[in-house]
Amino acid sequence: MSSSVFTTYLQLGFHHIFNLQAYDHLVFLLALCAPYVLQDWRRVVALVTSFTVGHSVTLALATLNVVRYSPALIEVLIPITIVLTCLLNLARAGRAASRPTTRRESTHLLLTLPNLLAALFGLIHGLGFSSYLRELLGQQSRPVLELLSFNLGVELGQLLIVAIILLVGLVLLRAFNVARRDWLLVTSGAALGIALTLLVG
């Protein structure tokens, strides 16, 4: 029975991240990874880990009814996180493309402003995830197994999305000679446009 519940919520979490109704999270991941390419994988892992820590905390707290929030406010705050991330990306586009991470730098990757912002924005996105999960759970008060498996499913989906973004970037940059700055501008500009549409819609 436990394994069946675990598998069910694992799949629900994985598929939710690809659900068109949750595309704002997909857009945020696009904006988050836009400044990086495959050779920057250490930075990307640190960045996504920071986001994961943030949204895992609020997903658990909200699902277990430890914190309460306004769903309408979260619907506004999520596109704001995308807008802010895109604006930071566009500001970076004016500078030289970031160089690959060296082994010496890798030990300091967690303590960076982008990672701190990703963790902070993750707190907001976690509340968004919790709205969907609480609808699935109904009246269950201590859904620990469901919470863990759903969160793991979301993480697996996120990793797949990030891998796809990095691979698409690699193909465009290497095979089609797209400039890294152009890739950053186009992806961030597209994410920014979608986020602004969500805000005014």
Side-chain angles (χ1 to χ4, degrees), residues 24-41:
D24 48 355
H25 300 293
L26 296 176
V27 177
F28 179 77
L29 288 173
L30 175 63
L32 198 64
C33 298
Y36 305 101
V37 293
L38 192 59
Q39 62 192 16
D40 299 319
W41 66 268

Side-chain angles (χ1 to χ4, degrees), residues 160-199:
L160 179 57
I161 291 166
V162 169
I164 292 172
I165 293 172
L166 293 179
L167 288 173
V168 169
L170 178 67
V171 171
L172 292 175
L173 269 62
R174 295 283 180 86
F176 295 94
N177 294 318
V178 174
R180 185 165 176 175
R181 180 175 181 272
D182 292 341
W183 165 253
L184 175 57
L185 288 173
V186 170
T187 52
S188 297
L192 179 60
I194 295 172
L196 291 175
T197 301
L198 288 171
L199 278 175

Side-chain angles (χ1 to χ4, degrees), residues 11 30 35 38-39 59 78 82 90 100 104 108 110 114 119 125 131 134 144 153 160 169 197:
Q11 293 175 347
L30 175 63
L38 192 59
Q39 62 192 16
L59 174 61
I78 287 178
I82 301 171
L90 295 175
R104 183 177 179 182
H108 305 288
L110 291 178
H125 284 253
S131 297
R134 290 174 69 179
V144 177
L160 179 57
T197 301

Side-chain angles (χ1 to χ4, degrees), residues 31-156:
L32 198 64
C33 298
Y36 305 101
V37 293
L38 192 59
Q39 62 192 16
D40 299 319
W41 66 268
R42 291 184 180 87
R43 293 185 182 184
V44 176
V45 168
L47 195 65
V48 175
T49 298
S50 301
F51 178 61
T52 295
V53 170
H55 77 64
S56 295
V57 169
T58 48
L59 174 61
L61 293 177
T63 302
L64 298 174
N65 293 312
V66 177
V67 298
R68 298 186 182 276
Y69 61 94
S70 167
L73 177 60
I74 298 304
E75 288 182 5
V76 173
L77 290 178
I78 287 178
I80 288 177
T81 65
I82 301 171
V83 169
L84 293 176
T85 302
C86 291
L87 291 178
L88 288 173
N89 290 349
L90 295 175
R92 291 182 60 178
R95 303 196 296 267
S98 55
R99 57 190 172 85
T101 303
T102 65
R103 183 173 298 179
R104 183 177 179 182
E105 291 172 322
S106 63
T107 57
H108 305 288
L109 284 178
L110 291 178
L111 301 178
T112 65
L113 179 59
N115 291 346
L116 293 176
L117 288 176
L120 176 63
F121 293 161
L123 296 174
I124 297 171
H125 284 253
L127 296 175
F129 287 130
S130 69
S131 297
Y132 174 73
L133 181 55
R134 290 174 69 179
E135 289 180 4
L136 293 175
L137 293 170
Q139 299 300 316
Q140 294 188 58
S141 59
R142 293 293 171 185
V144 177
L145 178 61
E146 292 88 344
L147 175 61
L148 290 175
S149 57
F150 181 84
N151 196 51
L152 180 58
V154 168
E155 294 321 305
L156 292 175

